[in-house]
Amino acid sequence: MLTHLKLIKIDNLLLIALAQVFIKYGLFEPFGIAITLNGFGLFLLIIATISIAAAGNVIIGIYDQEETNPKGLILGSITEKSANRLFIILNVVGVLIGFYLANLVDRPGFAALFVIISGVFYIYASYLKEILVVKNVIIGLLAALSLIVVGIFDLLPAITEKNRASQTVIFSIILDYSIFTFLIICIREIIKDCIQIDKDHNTGITTIPIVLGKDRTIKLAGILAILPIVAVIYYIYTYLFSNTQAVILVLLLIVAPLIYFIIKTFTTESNKQLITLKLILKIVLITGAVSLMFYQYILK
């Protein structure tokens, strides 16, 4: 059971679920925004999203096993047949719930989103992960979509001429968080590539650290981390500047860790240090998700 949870990367799935809950109850409910889904509808959306994401993690694990483990075992104990069965079940659950939700909000076309994401995961595992840079961008985009999908299913169907302005503001906040998530995940994937550079080299996968070298790539990750910092500072200036406490918290809990991350990239060499850098970025993601719950106190 623990091995299966590790295969689907349960920690990442929980973070996605929490972010979606925080969007619903930190942004939508406190401001009386017109919405489409009730609590049960959100629950179904979360199940659909994490099912597709879990299926994606499984198929990536299957293809990684085929390249590195001739015995056909994934994570040392799960057979490829068992993993394939799990992949199919998770995809079916995610897509079926997606179809139900799309019809529930009277937007049948929205169901295509889950089918497309499922397909992208499969293509990524079988082909795209071997293409330089594209693999990092795809994972970042899929992570960003896990946030945007809440706005698509809960906000968009409820937009009218009267509430368009308020709905647009809230949706723009979701987009801002999605862009931030995209940037952090892309950088995190680069660090991950640095950690598994030997494995990728042995399996013939071309990654940024293989092309540029491990040390240069780590420093590149540090330079790229300037982008989310600039984005956050712009966000502070645009939305939070009048709230001193909010500004201080964002600077301490998000900007400061990213600055520390940048500094560490210029001295990091070992995989142990790289794992620490990955952890810093995950903490930043968690902090960003939790911050959604505080808008009701900042903007009111």
Side-chain angles (χ1 to χ4, degrees):
M1 183 65 180
L2 290 176
T3 309
H4 283 80
L5 292 177
K6 186 176 180 180
L7 175 62
I8 65 175
K9 297 183 179 178
I10 187 65
D11 54 335
N12 292 341
L13 300 183
L14 288 175
L15 182 54
I16 290 173
L18 283 174
Q20 292 182 330
V21 169
F22 292 156
I23 288 172
K24 174 78 169 180
Y25 295 104
L27 280 181
F28 298 173
E29 295 287 344
F31 296 102
I33 299 299
I35 54 177
T36 310
L37 301 175
N38 56 20
F40 182 67
L42 175 67
F43 171 75
L44 290 178
L45 181 61
I46 290 173
I47 296 299
T49 305
I50 65 175
S51 293
I52 296 294
N57 291 331
V58 171
I59 195 64
I60 291 170
I62 291 172
Y63 274 87
D64 283 347
Q65 170 274 133
E66 289 179 350
E67 294 167 348
T68 61
N69 187 353
K71 294 182 180 179
L73 293 178
I74 301 171
L75 295 179
S77 61
I78 303 174
T79 64
E80 184 174 340
K81 182 179 179 180
S82 175
N84 273 306
R85 189 184 304 118
L86 180 61
F87 168 72
I88 293 170
I89 292 171
L90 289 169
N91 264 319
V92 169
V93 170
V95 171
L96 286 179
I97 294 177
F99 270 102
Y100 173 76
L101 285 172
N103 285 280
L104 183 67
V105 301
D106 200 26
R107 296 291 192 279
F110 285 2
L113 185 62
F114 291 96
V115 178
I116 291 170
I117 293 175
S118 176
V120 169
F121 266 121
Y122 185 85
I123 296 171
Y124 166 83
S126 59
Y127 177 67
L128 292 178
K129 72 173 184 176
E130 299 181 4
I131 302 178
L132 188 67
V133 180
V134 171
K135 66 183 290 293
N136 308 93
V137 172
I138 290 294
I139 294 298
L141 285 174
L142 291 172
L145 276 173
S146 68
L147 303 183
I148 296 174
V149 72
V150 182
I152 291 174
F153 275 84
D154 212 4
L155 282 187
L156 293 188
I159 290 179
T160 64
E161 287 301 322
K162 291 183 179 180
N163 66 21
R164 185 176 298 277
S166 59
Q167 301 285 98
T168 301
V169 170
I170 296 298
F171 195 77
S172 69
I173 292 176
I174 298 174
L175 286 178
D176 291 337
Y177 271 79
S178 300
I179 293 170
F180 179 78
T181 299
F182 167 78
L183 293 171
I184 296 296
I185 292 295
C186 284
I187 297 169
R188 198 165 184 267
E189 285 297 306
I190 291 174
I191 295 296
K192 180 182 175 182
D193 287 341
C194 290
I195 294 173
Q196 59 184 38
I197 184 172
D198 293 333
K199 172 187 169 185
D200 289 336
H201 182 268
N202 291 335
T203 54
I205 297 177
T206 303
T207 61
I208 297 175
I210 288 176
V211 173
L212 297 181
K214 187 175 180 179
D215 292 339
R216 288 180 182 176
T217 304
I218 295 171
K219 291 179 176 61
L220 174 63
I223 294 171
L224 290 176
I226 295 173
L227 294 176
I229 291 177
V230 171
V232 170
I233 291 175
Y234 172 78
Y235 197 80
I236 290 173
Y237 179 77
T238 305
Y239 295 102
L240 307 176
F241 198 71
S242 60
N243 191 312
T244 305
Q245 289 182 327
V247 170
I248 292 173
L249 284 173
V250 172
L251 290 175
L252 286 176
L253 300 179
I254 295 180
V255 175
L258 287 174
I259 292 175
Y260 178 74
F261 172 87
I262 293 173
I263 294 170
K264 292 298 292 182
T265 58
F266 286 88
T267 59
T268 292
E269 295 180 354
S270 68
N271 278 359
K272 185 177 180 180
Q273 292 172 312
L274 286 170
I275 291 171
T276 300
L277 292 182
K278 273 185 63 182
L279 179 61
I280 291 171
L281 294 178
K282 175 165 277 192
I283 291 172
V284 168
L285 285 173
I286 294 171
T287 303
V290 172
S291 70
L292 287 162
M293 293 300 294
F294 293 92
Y295 274 86
Q296 55 189 302
Y297 309 108
I298 295 171
L299 299 182
K300 278 192 172 182

